[in-house]
Amino acid sequence: MEFLDLIKQRKSIRKYKKQPVEAEKVAKIVEAALRAPSSKNLQPWEFIVVTDERVITRLAQTRLKSSYFLEGAPLAVVVCADPGKSDVWIENASIVATYISLAAESLGLG
C-alpha cells in the first residue's frame, strides 16, 4: 500500500475487537516506533506495551476527554518521553505516536 493511500484510509477507532494483537504485529509496531525521527537523534522516549485489560481500563480513565477511547482496546502503547534528554520531547513523542498509529493502520489494526 502506498503511503498516501494509508493516510487517506486511516480513521480514529473507538470500538475494538476483543481479540489480542498478535506478537508479530506488536513487534512491527515497536520497530516502527524505534525508527521514528527525533531531534538530534536523541530518541528521548521509552515505550510501554500494555495488554492487561485492567491496566488499559485505568489508562482510559486518566484524562477525562482524551483517553476514554482506550476502553476495551486489546493493546495500548504508552509513549514516555524524558524532558531532560531533549528540549523538544513533546514534538518527538508526537512524531513517534504518529508512527505507531500509522504502523497499526498498515497492519490492519485501525
Side-chain angles (χ1 to χ4, degrees):
M1 173 183 307
E2 289 188 32
F3 183 71
L4 287 177
D5 292 332
L6 176 67
I7 60 175
K8 285 179 187 176
Q9 80 176 27
R10 192 207 65 77
K11 296 178 184 159
S12 295
I13 304 300
R14 299 292 187 253
K15 293 185 181 182
Y16 308 94
K17 296 178 182 176
K18 288 287 186 184
Q19 66 191 54
V21 177
E22 299 91 338
E24 300 81 23
K25 289 183 178 180
V26 174
K28 287 181 179 184
I29 291 168
V30 171
E31 180 180 353
L34 291 171
R35 293 179 181 275
S38 65
S39 175
K40 300 177 187 172
N41 198 31
L42 293 174
Q43 300 177 341
W45 51 56
E46 292 183 26
F47 313 109
I48 303 169
V49 176
V50 183
T51 56
D52 184 296
E53 185 177 334
R54 292 170 297 162
V55 175
I56 292 173
T57 296
R58 292 195 60 201
L59 287 171
Q61 298 167 353
T62 57
R63 297 191 65 200
L64 185 60
K65 294 185 179 184
S66 60
S67 63
Y68 70 92
F69 62 87
L70 285 171
E71 185 72 40
L75 172 75
V77 180
V78 179
V79 177
C80 305
D82 184 348
K85 287 186 178 179
S86 173
D87 61 340
V88 290
W89 62 274
I90 293 172
E91 293 83 350
N92 288 326
S94 298
I95 292 167
V96 78
T98 300
Y99 268 55
I100 290 168
S101 175
L102 292 173
E105 177 67 35
S106 76
L107 295 167
L109 298 174

